[in-house]
Amino acid sequence: MKDFRQDITDISSKISKIGADPTGGMTRLLYTKEWVEAQKALKQIFETAGFAASHDATGNLSARLTGSKYPEQTILTGSHIDTVVNGGNLDGQFGIEASFLAANYLKDTYGPPLRSLEVIALAEEEGSRFPYVFWGSKNIFGQARRQDVENIADAKGVNFVDAMHSAGFDFRPEDQPVRKDIAAFVEIHIEQGKVLETEGKTIGVVTSIVGQRRYDIRLKGESNHAGTTPMGYRRDTVYAFSRICTESIAKARAEGDPLVLTFGKVEPKPNTVNVVPGFTHFTMDCRHTDAVALDRFTLEIEADMRRIAAEMGIEIEIDRWMDEKPIPMNKQLVECVSHLCEKYKVNYRLIHSGAGHDSQIFSPHVPTVMIFVPSIDGISHNPAEKTHLDDLAEGVKVLAHTLYQLAWTEEGGSL
């Protein structure tokens, strides 16, 4: 198969200029001028290569090859075009570039596919500009609700709807039917972790995406003088938090992989050197690939937090604001990609995703699979985000083999 390294370098150099931060990194937020410019650049690349390119109402960009025998069946591949603030140029972007390069190679080598093949640049996944995630993929299936975004704004106070209209897009028509033509969705992505690199693997075939529970937790004690309040009289919320954090992390370590637990934000008040902190707000993020295990562990931790607070005479408020179940990938597609890796002697392993991806929106509706390539030092959402060019090229090859199997062979229709 073709060596894709130069192609990857060429297309990445074009797209990575758009939204590049002068201090390093990449910022390309939904419906900003950088986002619009990137979509226009991709559309031109797609059309120049002979794809039929178009946007849907909300801004998802598709590049389509119509199937010669089964045009009503679509193999969809791609990822998201938006970034986090000051992120890297691989998260999301590589998935679109790889999908185009693989599809274009197959078109030029084998002619029209039997089934329609569509490369998609999803409008948004990250939630970095507005407090809403998966706007692009949720609109594919009619899951994005108008009332969820009508009254939200970005950090500068710009309303979501105003930003959308300024970019030239609008809400998905309410009478528009949900797409029924998608026979499979394949997303290639950087791992954003260091499992593949640590184990010396070139490709990860994703079996599932973790479930997530996220919390806002508030502790209310009593602020008082640091010098005149004896230790036994204190209702110190930082001390309460430290007990909660220590006990919870110890239990998470004992539970072991694949469970992960993170206390990511801590805000004590009044947050000064000579006052006992009477209020502390903190966040907690817990993830697991098994829904039953995630439920059991988090309920136990919630009970522990309440016990600790009661022992210390502190009020506690626990707000579980996210509760996403684990999402399995399609078993037949996982087996298909694994078999192709074995056939072409690719150094791969099965892996779960500890981060959320558009595939978790697709999977409940259509057969879905993800392919990972390694991340150097596991770094992502960071200007230092990198993957070796050889690994990126191997990812494009595995994706091309997969898309050929699904779109160019009769057998692909039975997966």
Side-chain angles (χ1 to χ4, degrees):
M1 184 177 281
K2 180 178 181 178
D3 182 345
F4 289 98
R5 289 178 295 182
Q6 189 58 52
D7 295 302
I8 293 169
T9 300
D10 291 344
I11 191 171
S12 180
S13 66
K14 293 177 183 178
I15 305 304
S16 297
K17 293 176 183 176
I18 306 170
D21 193 305
T23 63
M26 177 76 57
T27 302
R28 195 163 54 227
L29 307 182
L30 176 66
Y31 297 141
T32 60
K33 63 181 181 63
E34 294 84 6
W35 179 93
V36 170
E37 187 179 346
Q39 291 284 56
K40 286 181 177 178
L42 282 171
K43 189 171 187 288
Q44 183 177 18
I45 290 170
F46 295 159
E47 290 176 336
T48 300
F51 289 73
S54 62
H55 289 95
D56 67 10
T58 58
N60 293 315
L61 172 64
S62 294
R64 188 172 178 85
L65 298 173
T66 301
S68 61
K69 189 172 183 180
Y70 309 107
E72 72 284 357
Q73 299 175 19
T74 300
I75 306 302
L76 190 65
T77 182
S79 196
H80 59 96
I81 191 60
D82 67 314
T83 72
V84 298
V85 175
N86 201 31
N89 69 344
L90 292 172
D91 180 3
Q93 179 177 312
F94 170 68
I96 299 167
E97 295 168 349
S99 295
F100 166 71
L101 292 175
N104 195 45
Y105 163 77
L106 293 170
K107 170 180 68 70
D108 291 346
T109 305
Y110 301 104
L114 298 180
R115 292 170 196 82
S116 296
L117 180 63
E118 184 177 322
V119 176
I120 191 164
L122 291 159
E124 189 272 346
E125 184 246 34
E126 299 285 5
S128 294
R129 184 179 184 188
F130 301 99
Y132 190 95
V133 294
F134 301 119
W135 174 248
S137 50
K138 283 180 178 177
N139 269 287
I140 299 290
F141 300 103
Q143 290 180 251
R145 301 187 307 169
R146 179 186 292 254
Q147 59 265 37
D148 291 338
V149 298
E150 280 182 320
N151 297 313
I152 63 175
D154 65 12
K156 296 180 180 179
V158 179
N159 176 266
F160 183 100
V161 179
D162 291 341
M164 178 172 64
H165 288 163
S166 294
F169 298 100
D170 207 338
F171 288 107
R172 179 179 178 274
E174 293 183 3
D175 60 351
Q176 180 178 315
V178 173
R179 289 185 63 171
K180 298 293 185 182
D181 63 303
I182 304 173
F185 177 61
V186 185
E187 181 177 13
I188 187 168
H189 206 282
I190 57 171
E191 182 193 349
Q192 301 180 281
K194 59 194 309 181
V195 173
L196 295 178
E197 182 186 53
T198 300
E199 297 189 4
K201 302 296 184 181
T202 304
I203 293 292
V205 182
V206 179
T207 57
S208 65
I209 298 175
V210 294
Q212 301 183 43
R213 286 187 171 181
R214 294 185 186 178
Y215 296 80
D216 276 318
I217 301 155
R218 294 169 176 83
L219 301 173
K220 184 178 180 181
E222 183 179 72
S223 298
N224 218 325
H225 197 291
T228 63
T229 310
M231 299 302 290
Y233 295 174
R234 299 184 178 205
R235 294 167 61 206
D236 183 340
T237 58
V238 165
Y239 178 36
F241 165 74
S242 70
R243 284 188 58 189
I244 289 170
C245 181
T246 301
E247 289 191 23
S248 301
I249 293 294
K251 284 194 172 183
R253 286 181 175 275
E255 184 81 13
D257 294 337
L259 182 132
V260 290
L261 182 69
T262 304
F263 294 90
K265 178 181 181 182
V266 186
E267 295 178 321
K269 292 181 181 179
N271 198 21
T272 188
V273 67
N274 59 348
V275 180
V276 176
F279 180 86
T280 296
H281 165 231
F282 64 95
T283 63
M284 187 175 78
D285 177 309
C286 189
R287 310 185 188 200
H288 202 294
T289 56
D290 182 87
V292 174
L294 179 62
D295 184 63
R296 172 187 55 76
F297 183 83
T298 52
L299 289 178
E300 184 178 333
I301 294 299
E302 290 175 31
D304 288 344
M305 288 191 285
R306 292 190 176 94
R307 170 182 54 78
I308 291 169
E311 290 173 358
M312 300 182 64
I314 287 173
E315 298 175 28
I316 185 168
E317 177 186 329
I318 302 173
D319 176 19
R320 186 200 300 165
W321 60 270
M322 176 187 282
D323 190 355
E324 299 285 349
K325 289 181 169 43
I327 300 294
M329 298 292 98
N330 180 269
K331 290 183 179 179
Q332 286 180 290
L333 287 178
V334 170
E335 291 173 0
C336 172
V337 180
S338 300
H339 171 73
L340 290 169
C341 287
E342 291 166 4
K343 178 179 178 180
Y344 293 102
K345 296 179 172 51
V346 176
N347 186 13
Y348 84 103
R349 63 156 285 174
L350 299 177
I351 192 171
H352 75 266
S353 174
H357 297 285
D358 286 303
S359 286
Q360 71 191 67
I361 304 300
F362 279 89
S363 185
H365 301 278
V366 299
T368 300
V369 69
M370 289 196 76
I371 300 167
F372 277 171
V373 293
S375 295
I376 296 174
D377 293 329
I379 294 174
S380 184
H381 286 187
N382 185 312
E385 173 183 278
K386 289 188 182 300
T387 294
H388 293 296
L389 184 57
D390 286 349
D391 289 336
L392 295 175
E394 193 70 9
V396 178
K397 289 180 183 179
V398 171
L399 178 61
H401 288 309
T402 303
L403 296 179
Y404 176 82
Q405 182 69 25
L406 295 176
W408 268 265
T409 72
E410 290 286 351
E411 295 81 3
S414 62
L415 294 173

